[in-house]
Amino acid sequence: MLVSFQHVLSFLIFSNIGFLRSATAFLVKNHHRQPYSRAFSTAYSLTTLRGGSSSSRNYFMSTTATPPVARRDEDAVYYTGVAPLGWDLKYPRQGMNSQEPLLDPPVATPNPYGWMRDDKRDKEEVQQHLRAENEYTQAVTQHLEGLREELYQEMLSSIQETDYTTPRPNGEYSYYTRTFQGKSYTVHCRAPRPVEDGLIEWDGLAETPILPGEQVVLDVNELAEGKPYCSTGTVKHSPSHKLLVYAADFSGNEICQLFVKDLTTGEIVHQDDDLEIYGSLRWGADDNTIFFLKMDETQRPYQLYRRTLDGSKPDELLIEEKDELFWMGCSKSLDGKYLFVQVESKETAEVHYLDLHDASSTLQCIAKRRPKVLYDVEHRNGKWWIQSNVGGLPNMALFTAPAVANCKDQWNLVSVKGADGSTRTAFDGGYDRSLDSVTCFKEHVVAYGREGGLPRIWILSVPSDADSLTESNDAVVAKKMEALQFTEDAYDVSMGSHAEFDTDQMMAVYDSLVTPSQSLEISMDDTSQRKVIKERLVPGYDKSLYGCERTTVTSRDGVTQIPVSIVYRKDVMEKAKNYGTPVNVHLYGYGSYGSSVEADFRKKYPACLLTCGLHDPRVQFWEPAKFAATLRHLQGPDSGPVCLKTDMSAGHFSASDRYKYLRELAFDYAFLLDQVGLYTPKKE
């Protein structure tokens, strides 16, 4: 080895790339040409690493393996724009309600590898091609087997295999999950709620319960037994806490089955093998009612059903969305009063509600969809709390309205009363402050968003007798609005999970580029009152070795300030400052879909080959397969290798088995380290 693996991982330790499979490429800069390589996540941008040794590269290229040559259909095309003559109208080219014009006449784009598309995953030619690609990738990386194993063992040593998530109170119980050394999947647990919430004292042993009276409600290891893939969607207890409903995907294609378990006997009391659903489930007001979503042929959730477990009524279709641009989701207000059904495209939204405590109620719409108007809704004390960009706002503003149907003309901006008696708008939808979500409690409303390039949490104090703070125009005025403050310059903070409406305690999840994740319990009445309920343990990690800074870079428009977070080993940076020693940089950026890269703590993410999952319904496997074939068709003799690796038993999120996941990650690290010249194979 040229360097120790501890230093290699220190160099790569904080790369901020999420582990989602896609066909988008990253580049690894070498001496002459830039070989195309792998991407983990949808539309992620560019990674550049300077370095690489000729000996390493030549060893890699000395293999006799030949990449598979995909046949090209030079006459195949696809059309961009209006539907061409003879087009099957059941496949619309545009949403029915869209006002945007399409290209007319349509433009034909070459699609020589279109034959690789195989929605049913049963074309033998396609399967053979994927197997050939995997064999080629294995051949050109076989010299890295030892490196992969060493990386895997080091990764394994840096995680706490036996661990738990922060218990969250809900009625008489606290719910949490556990992982155990040697077991691949999560175990869902609960225990009687402690008399006093606070720091948990646990000795770290697998046989020791996290809380006294611990009960296993679902062991996903048992669920996954004998299956190549297993991922759970919703796992939720019933209102009485006697039943558990969960959705399970056994193929990676995100099509789930529904199960209901009796938590007293441990038996499955309801299962429908013929029902294929989306992974999101909600209970009604009692233990007999479940709401689930069905998907269309493109796996778009588009129908909401209500099912009674005792079979007293047939499944009832409550709403159907026919416009293929709109996806459907469902949620439940924290006070348990309403079921919300969100129907949303990228630009337009519509929300329906159902009173769960009124047997005669039907779904009603809060505000009919309007072009380019997004909104989301929560409920609190007889009012809708609405976040929306109505009026063409660049960000979401915060409104309230009476909790009635068709109330679009009754939305009023939420204000905050100042110390001098004046009021100001809490969130006006302007450029300076963005609003992403709202959580409503009995005496407080917590808002999550972004300001100054950093994620923020604001606590609004709004007493339940809000009438005393309501002006004549029915607009809510909060007594106080406070942003949570933290000491580090660059960090990530988000809302924790909450199941109780009547509480004065909230949970936030905090981490930074150098601080492992912490679960913080914070008093909403006095935010200085904080407890670290749980902190992620990272074996072998010494925070004192690393530094973190935040700066901004002026963009090309000369005005916009782009935030940049920098993390480094202090000793390496010291040498660079004192002696001008060059420092390798792993640069990562993202700029799409309104998604920001948070300054969070990660170990398991650089990216260097094209990868995919055969059953991925989001980024279909034929996209990276076509991409790899196209690159090989265009590249010159000096180009680097193009490797495609298809997991034949996984979907968008890679392996569900956490140990297989680490081995996949080790494969990626090894490929990267080899390409940038940080690995020299041992000579026999």
Side-chain angles (χ1 to χ4, degrees):
M1 297 293 296
L2 295 179
V3 293
S4 74
F5 284 108
Q6 186 62 47
H7 281 81
V8 170
L9 290 182
S10 296
F11 165 62
L12 297 171
I13 196 169
F14 298 107
S15 58
N16 223 349
I17 302 171
F19 194 37
L20 302 176
R21 305 298 219 178
S22 88
T24 306
F26 288 88
L27 307 180
V28 179
K29 183 177 288 187
N30 256 317
H31 292 297
H32 303 295
R33 298 294 296 267
Q34 294 183 334
Y36 292 96
S37 47
R38 123 162 244 192
F40 285 99
S41 64
T42 306
Y44 276 158
S45 175
L46 179 69
T47 299
T48 56
L49 297 168
R50 185 172 299 279
S53 68
S54 58
S55 61
S56 171
R57 189 173 64 258
N58 289 340
Y59 181 91
F60 184 94
M61 295 304 294
S62 66
T63 178
T64 58
T66 303
V69 179
R71 69 172 175 85
R72 290 176 58 85
D73 184 352
E74 301 296 352
D75 296 327
V77 297
Y78 64 86
Y79 290 95
T80 303
V82 299
L85 290 176
W87 184 263
D88 188 343
L89 295 182
K90 79 173 183 179
Y91 298 108
R93 306 288 294 177
Q94 187 177 29
M96 294 181 294
N97 300 320
S98 176
Q99 304 298 313
E100 303 296 330
L102 291 175
L103 293 173
D104 191 3
V107 175
T109 303
N111 189 24
Y113 301 114
W115 61 268
M116 291 184 183
R117 177 164 185 163
D118 179 14
D119 295 85
K120 295 184 178 180
R121 277 78 173 167
D122 60 1
K123 291 181 181 177
E124 184 56 31
E125 181 184 17
V126 175
Q127 296 284 316
Q128 286 182 357
H129 179 72
L130 295 179
R131 287 193 290 268
E133 289 279 15
N134 282 349
E135 290 169 3
Y136 169 71
T137 298
Q138 178 60 33
V140 297
T141 61
Q142 62 183 356
H143 66 291
L144 300 175
E145 287 184 3
L147 174 59
R148 291 197 291 261
E149 180 61 27
E150 195 166 348
L151 286 171
Y152 170 75
Q153 293 299 333
E154 179 143 350
M155 291 174 189
L156 202 58
S157 70
S158 68
I159 66 171
Q160 186 175 352
E161 295 182 69
T162 301
D163 204 354
Y164 68 98
T165 59
T166 307
R168 301 301 297 137
N170 189 343
E172 297 178 357
Y173 293 94
S174 288
Y175 288 83
Y176 51 97
T177 64
R178 296 191 65 175
T179 56
F180 295 91
Q181 183 175 9
K183 291 189 176 182
S184 299
Y185 295 96
T186 296
V187 177
H188 293 259
C189 303
R190 72 178 182 187
R193 184 172 180 166
V195 176
E196 182 179 348
D197 297 328
L199 187 64
I200 294 170
E201 305 208 354
W202 174 60
D203 59 14
L205 299 178
E207 58 270 22
T208 304
I210 304 302
L211 292 174
E214 179 176 280
Q215 174 191 3
V216 173
V217 297
L218 178 65
D219 187 340
V220 184
N221 295 282
E222 294 179 0
L223 190 65
E225 224 170 278
K227 300 178 178 68
Y229 184 92
C230 181
S231 178
T232 54
T234 293
V235 179
K236 283 190 176 293
H237 62 80
S238 65
S240 72
H241 299 263
K242 294 179 180 178
L243 301 177
L244 187 79
V245 66
Y246 58 93
D249 169 15
F250 298 118
S251 67
N253 62 3
E254 299 179 38
I255 298 175
C256 295
Q257 294 179 320
L258 182 153
F259 301 85
V260 179
K261 180 179 180 180
D262 187 320
L263 294 181
T264 302
T265 65
E267 296 179 354
I268 300 298
V269 294
H270 188 86
Q271 179 179 355
D272 187 342
D273 294 334
D274 297 325
L275 180 66
E276 294 185 339
I277 63 170
Y278 190 59
S280 180
L281 298 163
R282 292 294 182 272
W283 285 98
D286 55 39
D287 284 17
N288 192 40
T289 308
I290 289 176
F291 298 91
F292 63 86
L293 295 163
K294 282 189 177 181
M295 298 177 284
D296 65 10
E297 59 188 8
T298 66
Q299 292 186 232
R300 174 183 68 97
Y302 80 119
Q303 292 178 329
L304 176 74
Y305 282 84
R306 173 163 48 194
R307 170 171 288 194
T308 54
L309 297 182
D310 62 9
S312 59
K313 298 178 183 178
D315 288 349
E316 179 184 3
L317 175 61
L318 299 179
I319 186 173
E320 178 179 24
E321 177 53 54
K322 294 182 178 179
D323 191 328
E324 78 288 345
L325 288 184
F326 286 77
W327 275 47
M328 185 179 292
C330 64
S331 61
K332 201 172 175 179
S333 59
L334 192 58
D335 61 8
K337 183 172 178 58
Y338 293 107
L339 179 81
F340 292 119
V341 183
Q342 301 89 8
V343 181
E344 188 170 320
S345 71
K346 291 292 185 183
E347 297 183 324
T348 303
E350 184 175 274
V351 181
H352 302 254
Y353 70 96
L354 181 70
D355 189 335
L356 295 175
H357 297 275
D358 181 356
S360 64
S361 68
T362 58
L363 271 179
Q364 299 184 74
C365 186
I366 291 176
K368 295 291 185 183
R369 67 189 68 174
R370 291 163 280 179
K372 298 187 183 297
V373 175
L374 292 166
Y375 75 99
D376 201 1
V377 182
E378 293 294 333
H379 174 260
R380 178 183 178 275
N381 300 331
K383 289 187 182 294
W384 302 137
W385 284 72
I386 303 165
Q387 53 198 79
S388 176
N389 66 341
V390 64
L393 297 172
N395 282 303
M396 296 292 200
L398 184 59
F399 304 86
T400 59
V404 297
N406 302 312
C407 62
K408 69 180 180 65
D409 296 325
Q410 298 174 272
W411 294 10
N412 292 288
L413 286 166
V414 175
S415 299
V416 181
K417 187 180 290 291
D420 59 357
S422 62
T423 60
R424 58 185 173 85
T425 301
F427 294 90
D428 60 9
Y431 285 103
D432 293 336
R433 178 185 290 169
S434 69
L435 175 65
D436 294 331
S437 66
V438 170
T439 304
C440 292
F441 299 94
K442 185 176 180 180
E443 303 286 335
H444 304 84
V445 173
V446 180
Y448 173 75
R450 186 175 298 275
E451 188 174 42
L454 286 171
R456 305 280 189 183
I457 291 177
W458 296 270
I459 298 177
L460 288 79
S461 297
V462 190
S464 54
D465 58 341
D467 289 342
S468 64
L469 292 170
T470 300
E471 298 178 343
S472 59
N473 64 357
D474 207 33
V476 168
V477 180
K479 285 200 311 182
K480 183 175 67 172
M481 175 173 164
E482 180 182 2
L484 295 183
Q485 301 297 322
F486 302 96
T487 58
E488 294 179 296
D489 291 337
Y491 60 82
D492 182 24
V493 66
S494 61
M495 287 287 290
S497 62
H498 297 86
E500 296 189 320
F501 177 71
D502 187 2
T503 179
D504 60 1
Q505 301 290 319
M506 63 158 288
M507 191 179 82
V509 180
Y510 176 91
D511 66 345
S512 76
L513 291 168
V514 296
T515 301
S517 177
Q518 298 175 333
S519 296
L520 303 174
E521 187 180 76
I522 301 173
S523 167
M524 290 186 279
D525 293 320
D526 180 2
T527 61
S528 67
Q529 301 299 310
R530 305 182 184 188
K531 296 178 184 176
V532 178
I533 302 300
K534 184 178 188 300
E535 183 170 16
R536 176 187 173 193
L537 177 63
V538 184
Y541 172 66
D542 183 352
K543 179 179 177 178
S544 67
L545 297 178
Y546 300 94
C548 177
E549 299 174 12
R550 188 171 186 267
T551 185
T552 59
V553 176
T554 305
S555 73
R556 285 174 290 186
D557 64 11
V559 178
T560 305
Q561 296 299 305
I562 302 172
V564 178
S565 299
I566 306 169
V567 64
Y568 51 85
R569 276 187 64 111
K570 293 178 181 177
D571 55 344
V572 174
M573 189 60 72
E574 193 68 24
K575 289 181 181 178
K577 290 180 178 178
N578 293 339
Y579 307 109
T581 308
V583 179
N584 289 316
V585 174
H586 183 192
L587 176 65
Y588 175 72
Y590 186 78
S592 189
Y593 305 109
S595 180
S596 299
V597 178
E598 310 300 358
D600 58 3
F601 186 93
R602 296 191 184 180
K603 297 281 279 185
K604 297 143 198 127
Y605 298 97
C608 284
L609 15 124
L610 288 165
T611 68
C612 61
L614 179 65
H615 302 288
D616 188 342
R618 302 172 184 234
V619 183
Q620 305 285 0
F621 72 84
W622 53 81
E623 295 175 18
K626 290 163 67 175
F627 185 36
T630 300
L631 291 177
R632 294 202 194 103
H633 181 71
L634 297 174
Q635 68 182 181
D638 294 330
S639 298
V642 174
C643 291
L644 171 66
K645 185 171 181 287
T646 304
D647 191 325
M648 306 298 280
S649 62
H652 190 65
F653 301 101
S654 184
S656 57
D657 180 320
R658 61 175 178 152
Y659 293 106
K660 181 182 175 184
Y661 179 93
L662 285 180
R663 290 199 178 278
E664 294 290 326
L665 191 58
F667 188 101
D668 305 326
Y669 270 108
F671 188 95
L672 173 61
L673 297 176
D674 187 46
Q675 286 293 293
V676 298
L678 293 176
Y679 171 68
T680 299
K682 298 175 182 178
K683 295 182 179 179
E684 296 296 334

